[in-house]
Amino acid sequence: MEDAEISKFALKAFEKQGIKINLNTKVTKLEKKSDSVVATLDDGKGKPQTIEVGRVISAVGVVGNIENLGLEKLGVKTDRGCIVIDGFCKTNVPGIYAIGDVAGAADAGAQGRA
């Protein structure tokens, strides 16, 4: 959910440092050895890949649970599993606000329209 421009910048910076980033890849197995870790990766293309590395960093993200809250009945807009908000955490329904893991990125332009 991060800004696409920032994500591209970070990816280039990591690659310049020699860090390989595996996007849209599942780690299906980790095996710790005495001074390394063997990781089995699945990129969804059918052939698992095994790599041996010194350390493993896993970034999986946090997703708020917005299911079964009745948001649809109220007409609250959602996008990709998050509640759509403006710069003041307001949803599209008057009197309903969202914060934390359930709230998507705020529409910065909405501050001037509120």
Side-chain angles (χ1 to χ4, degrees):
M1 300 295 293
E2 297 301 325
D3 181 89
E5 185 178 348
I6 292 170
S7 296
K8 287 179 187 176
F9 177 80
L11 180 63
K12 285 181 184 179
F14 289 140
E15 288 174 340
K16 275 186 181 179
Q17 294 177 43
I19 299 171
K20 182 176 179 186
I21 308 293
N22 294 301
L23 300 173
N24 301 313
T25 302
K26 240 189 253 187
V27 177
T28 58
K29 182 179 176 184
L30 290 174
E31 181 184 344
K32 184 169 176 22
K33 295 194 169 194
S34 61
D35 60 350
S36 65
V37 179
V38 176
T40 304
L41 310 176
D42 178 6
D43 62 5
K45 296 179 183 172
K47 186 178 179 196
Q49 175 186 2
T50 302
I51 59 172
E52 188 166 346
V53 295
R55 288 188 171 82
V56 173
I57 299 173
S58 177
V60 295
V62 175
V63 179
N65 181 1
I66 64 168
E67 294 179 17
N68 302 318
L69 295 177
L71 298 173
E72 307 81 23
K73 289 180 185 176
L74 297 171
V76 175
K77 288 184 185 176
T78 61
D79 181 39
R80 296 181 291 167
C82 292
I83 298 172
V84 177
I85 60 170
D86 69 8
F88 297 102
C89 299
K90 294 179 185 178
T91 68
N92 63 303
V93 177
I96 299 180
Y97 295 76
I99 62 170
D101 295 339
V102 298
D107 177 6
Q111 288 185 8
R113 295 189 301 265

